Amino acid sequence: MKNIEELAQELSYTVFTMEDSSAVILDGYTSDLLSDVMGNASEDSALITIQAHKNTIAVASLIGMHAIILCNGRAPADDMIEAAKREQIAILGTSENQFTVSYRLAKALGKV
Amino acid sequence: MGRWCIDLHNHSCLSPCGSDALLPSILAMEAYDKGVEILALTDHNCCRNIPAFADACEIIGITGVFGVEVTTLEEIHVLALFEEVPQALDFGRYIESMLPRIPNAARLFGNQYVCDVAGTHIEEAELFLYGPADITYDTLVELTLARNGLVIPAHIDRPANSVTANLGFLPELPYSAVESIAIPPVVDTNGYTVIQGSDAHYIEHVGRRRCFIESDVVGFAALRDAFSRNTVSFLGNL
């Protein structure tokens, strides 16, 4: 169990926004289909995705996710960052792909 | 040979991401003011504001096209357009029946108001309308054409919810046309007729991307005719 700030530091990911650095991350969910995220992701997990737009924030907030990790060097749109601040969801970014991020996050959380 | 200004991609207050102020009647009035002559309402996965829109178009004297922007299983946005209100309502009910059973969270996604021509709220759509509907891209194209509709992959040059982004290519299917935001298109359109649409979500978006068609016939038939002969032209946008 780690908070989002510890994870961002440990994994050396870019922080686009992090209003609540103490939010605890228990798990991860990797998907680029938001309908799949809505149906299957669990709260308190980080969403690993390439969907860098504000609908992703709405879906994450609906589920109770506290962090989104954008892969493949994708940068969030301005309105995505605004929505993330409002919903207290952190957005991290990396040039790594979803496979690598999933593995590294799982390792950092002691799941593998 | 007639020439018409068309705008076939617009939302209303029914779409969660559409402004509450963009009533179907306001859409028709604004578009008329901007010189649009053939106008479609295409809310996300729902046609319940089509009756109000049809009434407004008739009063204002603009040719209404009755459509829906379907989110396919692959989360690709596709416009399905119909000539008659009952066709659209029937198709809209069918698409709605295939949406995930997820109630709308209005605080996060926005309101989904169904209203009449005067703008009075009749009801709110309960399910989250963004989709996806349980229908594949290929099946949607086939079904829309089978119901005598026009089928147009939406904003194929957008980085999210487009056929190019989500599949990586434009499958060879009998589209009526394809919609591009940029003209000339920055993605491969493979010889299909290209159109532009406003994709209006706010009043100030209405009429921002229009195009022109030329045809010997009028109304909905002119669209089919102009798309098949590719007599679409662009004159810059507002």
Side-chain angles (χ1 to χ4, degrees):
Chain A
M1 190 173 86
K2 286 179 180 164
N3 69 38
I4 186 64
E5 189 173 29
E6 291 165 340
L7 285 170
Q9 273 172 11
E10 183 176 336
L11 301 172
S12 303
Y13 290 161
T14 306
V15 176
F16 290 109
T17 176
M18 189 192 286
E19 292 288 297
D20 179 11
S21 57
S22 64
V24 169
I25 306 296
L26 299 176
D27 205 346
Y29 194 80
T30 307
S31 183
D32 296 319
L33 281 183
L34 293 182
S35 51
D36 171 56
V37 176
M38 250 192 273
N40 297 304
S42 53
E43 62 179 331
D44 299 324
S45 54
L47 174 60
I48 298 162
T49 188
I50 56 169
Q51 294 292 0
H53 51 79
K54 73 173 181 183
N55 285 334
T56 313
I57 301 295
V59 169
S61 182
L62 183 75
I63 293 161
M65 302 173 108
H66 303 300
I68 292 166
I69 305 174
L70 298 177
C71 304
N72 288 347
R74 302 236 182 175
D78 289 345
D79 60 356
M80 182 187 191
I81 295 178
E82 278 167 39
K85 286 184 192 295
R86 219 167 33 238
E87 299 296 327
Q88 304 248 308
I89 293 170
I91 306 177
L92 308 183
T94 171
S95 58
E96 293 167 3
N97 68 23
Q98 296 95 314
F99 173 81
T100 306
V101 175
S102 301
Y103 171 74
R104 292 188 66 207
L105 179 67
K107 203 173 170 204
L109 293 175
K111 294 195 159 260
V112 289
Chain B
M1 181 73 71
R3 185 167 183 274
W4 289 277
C5 177
I6 68 169
D7 186 355
L8 302 179
H9 189 171
N10 292 289
H11 295 268
S12 76
C13 51
L14 175 58
S15 292
C17 42
S19 160
D20 291 350
L22 190 51
L23 306 171
S25 49
I26 297 283
L27 168 66
M29 275 192 277
E30 283 289 317
Y32 181 82
D33 280 351
K34 302 269 167 64
V36 176
E37 294 163 293
I38 302 179
L39 174 74
L41 173 62
T42 51
D43 280 309
H44 289 294
N45 302 299
C46 188
C47 287
R48 289 198 239 171
N49 265 350
I50 289 291
F53 175 70
D55 287 350
C57 287
E58 198 174 335
I59 293 166
I60 292 162
I62 189 169
T63 300
V65 171
F66 312 117
V68 57
E69 182 174 22
V70 180
T71 311
T72 71
L73 210 49
E74 303 89 342
E75 296 191 2
I76 299 167
H77 290 185
V78 182
L79 304 175
L81 308 173
F82 298 93
E83 182 172 12
E84 306 289 345
V85 172
Q87 288 176 298
L89 293 182
D90 188 51
F91 193 73
R93 274 192 294 271
Y94 173 63
I95 294 297
E96 259 194 88
S97 76
M98 293 188 293
L99 288 175
R101 305 285 104 183
I102 298 170
N104 184 35
R107 185 186 72 80
L108 294 169
F109 299 113
N111 296 311
Q112 302 183 152
Y113 293 130
V114 179
C115 55
D116 64 16
V117 68
T120 308
H121 293 164
I122 299 168
E123 58 178 349
E124 275 193 60
E126 279 185 13
L127 295 181
F128 178 45
L129 291 178
Y130 206 66
D134 189 14
I135 184 169
T136 66
Y137 180 77
D138 291 36
T139 308
L140 177 73
V141 171
E142 189 184 323
L143 264 178
T144 307
L145 294 172
R147 289 171 174 237
N148 280 319
L150 298 173
V151 65
I152 302 172
H155 41 63
I156 63 166
D157 52 344
R158 235 181 64 174
N161 296 120
S162 74
V163 61
T164 314
N166 288 26
L167 295 188
F169 68 108
L170 184 61
E172 257 184 69
L173 294 168
Y175 313 116
S176 310
V178 298
E179 182 200 40
S180 176
I181 294 170
I183 297 295
V186 292
V187 297
D188 186 14
T189 56
N190 206 10
Y192 290 105
T193 295
V194 177
I195 65 162
Q196 269 193 313
S198 287
D199 196 2
H201 285 76
Y202 295 87
I203 294 175
E204 55 269 32
H205 291 169
V206 176
R208 66 178 169 177
R209 286 190 292 266
R210 312 153 298 162
C211 51
F212 299 84
I213 57 165
E214 288 185 18
S215 176
D216 282 329
V217 289
V218 296
F220 192 84
L223 294 173
R224 203 185 292 281
D225 174 57
F227 293 165
S228 68
R229 294 187 300 109
N230 199 356
T231 64
V232 179
S233 59
F234 306 90
L235 264 190
N237 291 297
L238 293 176

